[in-house]
Amino acid sequence: GNAFPPYDATVRAIWSYHVNSNGWEDIGYHWLIAPDGIIYKGRAWLGENENVLGAHMCGCNANKLGICLLGDLTDQGPTNEQYSSLIDLITYKCCNWNISPDLESLGTDKTSGNCQEESLNNIISHRDGCPINYTECPGAFFYSQFNQVKNDIKTSYLNCMLNTNTSEQKSESLILYPNPNTSDFTVKGIFKKEELEIYNLDGREIN
């Protein structure tokens, strides 16, 4: 249904339903995102338990991260704040785990009635991994936007990886030889030429 503030109360209500009615150990989703863009932590514990198994994909939950957008997205899409948080969250996870959002990984789905192992797109909706007519999630309107979602995540992911690689390059150790020397020398390392600055023992930059 629709989500109205206070959104933390909605999250608590979902937790209560999943735990007290469904008998699950915790709320089924790893993360929940409210219309105001606030991200709530579900099963997404930190540290060693960050990849704890969820309960959000019709029983086939292995190797999956479940994100719930609060609200009914049947006739309208998420708010700008909610959408932005979704892109940021998935981008962070893809970049942190080095998962390309436009490729496939080995996973399980239940489209044929039982959980079967096969290659799945790294970004899928709830209905993509479940039997036909099992669920309308994530809503007809938002589902029609899913290609745009993937494109936006891919763009953000590429920027993230570029910044990560640049940061790693700047901190990469360089090898100079012969060392010391008073004439020509060779530099080995991973760097961009325009970022390389070399100084002599007197502190003067060498062009």
Side-chain angles (χ1 to χ4, degrees):
N2 292 321
F4 300 100
Y7 300 119
D8 56 340
T10 301
V11 173
R12 286 195 296 269
I14 295 174
W15 175 88
S16 178
Y17 176 74
H18 285 182
V19 173
N20 297 321
S21 296
N22 290 352
W24 300 345
E25 295 180 353
D26 198 350
I27 196 168
Y29 314 108
H30 293 90
W31 302 95
L32 303 93
I33 305 178
D36 59 3
I38 297 297
I39 300 175
Y40 293 88
K41 185 169 64 175
R43 293 197 182 198
W45 301 341
L46 301 177
E48 296 178 357
N49 294 318
E50 185 176 5
N51 299 326
V52 64
L53 187 67
H56 50 81
M57 185 62 84
C58 52
C60 304
N61 300 295
N63 299 325
K64 296 184 180 72
L65 175 74
I67 302 175
C68 171
L69 299 186
L70 301 184
D72 187 346
L73 304 181
T74 300
D75 299 316
Q76 62 184 7
T79 64
N80 292 335
E81 295 83 0
Q82 195 173 30
Y83 187 86
S84 179
S85 292
L86 175 67
I87 301 301
D88 289 346
L89 176 57
I90 297 179
T91 297
Y92 169 76
K93 289 300 183 181
C94 286
C95 195
N96 191 42
W97 294 339
N98 195 23
I99 297 175
S100 180
D102 59 342
L103 297 181
E104 296 181 347
S105 298
L106 191 64
T108 57
D109 73 3
K110 208 171 187 178
T111 54
S112 60
N114 297 306
C115 291
Q116 295 186 348
E117 191 173 80
E118 58 181 286
S119 291
L120 301 174
N121 291 327
N122 286 334
I123 299 178
I124 60 175
S125 75
H126 192 176
R127 67 171 71 179
D128 291 329
C130 296
I132 297 176
N133 298 325
Y134 178 88
T135 179
E136 295 183 2
C137 182
F141 189 93
F142 188 46
Y143 188 73
S144 69
Q145 297 180 318
F146 237 65
N147 285 336
Q148 184 62 50
V149 172
K150 294 178 181 180
N151 288 336
D152 289 343
I153 293 172
K154 180 180 179 180
T155 298
S156 185
Y157 167 78
L158 292 176
N159 289 333
C160 174
M161 294 301 293
L162 177 62
N163 292 333
T164 300
N165 291 336
T166 299
S167 175
E168 291 175 352
Q169 290 168 5
K170 289 181 179 179
S171 63
E172 189 74 21
S173 297
L174 302 180
I175 301 174
L176 285 74
Y177 63 92
N179 185 19
N181 71 82
T182 57
S183 58
D184 294 340
F185 58 89
T186 302
V187 179
K188 279 190 174 182
I190 303 174
F191 54 90
K192 293 183 178 180
K193 183 177 180 181
E194 63 269 22
E195 296 175 346
L196 181 63
E197 296 178 356
I198 301 177
Y199 297 85
N200 63 19
L201 294 177
D202 296 327
R204 296 180 180 179
E205 184 176 359
I206 300 174
N207 295 322

